[in-house]
């Protein structure tokens, strides 16, 4: 079985306050629910544009609730 290449965008639901800044900088990867909490893409993030958006979302999160995990 082959692994899919690409990074994974993760959200810590306990740390998140639902501010929603992440969805503004990564609209291709994150949408918000009715209360402003992020719903992140479940597919591996690939391509320069998506990886750039994922890393930008991690940087702007005031609660540090987002992370990007590199493939193992």
């Amino acid at each position: 079985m082959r692994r899919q290449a690409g990074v994974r965008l993760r959200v810590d639901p306990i740390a998140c306050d639902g501010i929603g800044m992440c969805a503004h900088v990564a609209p291709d990867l994150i949408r918000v629910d009715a209360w402003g909490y992020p719903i992140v893409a479940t597919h591996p993030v690939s391509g320069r544009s998506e990886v750039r958006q994922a890393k930008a979302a991690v940087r702007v999160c005031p609660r540090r609730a987002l992370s990007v995990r590199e493939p193992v």
Side-chain angles (χ1 to χ4, degrees):
M1 188 166 143
R2 279 180 81 175
R3 289 185 145 173
Q4 291 181 336
V7 299
R8 295 274 182 176
L9 182 60
R10 306 270 184 194
V11 62
D12 177 354
I14 303 298
C16 181
D17 277 345
I19 296 168
M21 292 172 62
C22 55
H24 290 288
V25 298
D28 297 335
L29 304 172
I30 303 170
R31 60 187 175 91
V32 293
D33 65 12
W35 298 278
Y37 288 91
I39 300 169
V40 298
T42 57
H43 67 277
V45 177
S46 59
R48 279 190 179 161
S49 176
E50 284 189 347
V51 171
R52 195 174 319 135
Q53 284 186 38
K55 290 181 178 182
V58 170
R59 281 193 307 272
V60 301
C61 180
R63 299 286 297 161
R64 304 289 185 239
L66 291 171
S67 62
V68 173
R69 299 226 173 133
E70 300 289 334
V72 192

